[in-house]
């Protein structure tokens, strides 16, 4: 994420407040869930899926900022767990673990 985008996300958290942004994250996730369900049966909601994925990614970036501030969860901590979970998935599919 570029510095300008990061500044905007930090400002959103600061101005709107953590509780409101956490509620917004839940709202955006639920909207994405709704579009995933539609996609499963209709496959014609391309624009809506793009919009909701973008909204959720923005909120995930804000969540990373919030949890880093409150719980000292660094992006590297998340990357370590993602790598572990991808390795676990790879093994379940019969693939080798990544390094």
């Amino acid at each position: 994420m570029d510095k300008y985008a990061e500044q905007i996300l930090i400002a959103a958290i600061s101005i709107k407040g953590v509780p409101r942004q956490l509620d917004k994250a839940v709202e955006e996730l639920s909207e994405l869930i709704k579009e995933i369900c539609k996609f499963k049966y209709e496959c014609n909601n391309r624009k809506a899926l793009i919009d909701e994925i973008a909204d959720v990614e923005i909120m995930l970036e804000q969540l990373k900022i919030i949890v880093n501030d409150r719980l000292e969860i660094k992006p590297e901590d998340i990357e370590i767990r993602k790598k572990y979970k991808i390795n676990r998935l790879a093994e379940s599919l019969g693939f080798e673990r990544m390094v």
Side-chain angles (χ1 to χ4, degrees):
M1 170 176 33
D2 65 48
K3 285 292 183 190
Y4 179 73
E6 185 177 9
Q7 288 175 340
I8 297 299
L9 298 182
I10 291 169
I13 295 163
S14 177
I15 293 167
K16 295 182 178 192
V18 170
R20 185 168 172 196
Q21 292 311 93
L22 293 175
D23 288 342
K24 185 68 174 173
V26 170
E27 175 189 327
E28 297 300 349
L29 287 162
S30 70
E31 290 174 3
L32 178 57
I33 290 167
K34 182 181 87 173
E35 292 305 325
I36 291 168
C37 289
K38 285 183 185 177
F39 174 72
K40 189 173 163 184
Y41 298 105
E42 299 170 14
C43 293
N44 64 356
N45 57 340
R46 182 179 188 276
K47 182 185 179 313
L49 270 171
I50 291 168
D51 285 345
E52 296 311 329
I53 290 169
D55 288 342
V56 166
E57 286 188 358
I58 290 166
M59 295 313 301
L60 285 174
E61 291 300 324
Q62 288 186 58
L63 282 170
K64 290 177 187 178
I65 293 166
I66 292 167
V67 298
N68 184 26
D69 183 51
R70 299 237 171 150
L71 300 173
E72 296 182 12
I73 296 174
K74 306 267 185 253
E76 307 85 63
D77 300 327
I78 296 168
E79 287 303 315
I80 289 168
R81 291 306 292 170
K82 283 170 59 176
K83 185 175 180 179
Y84 165 78
K85 289 176 179 279
I86 289 171
N87 276 324
R88 192 173 64 186
L89 176 60
E91 287 178 344
S92 76
L93 297 171
F95 289 85
E96 291 185 26
R97 296 173 57 89
M98 61 183 181
V99 180

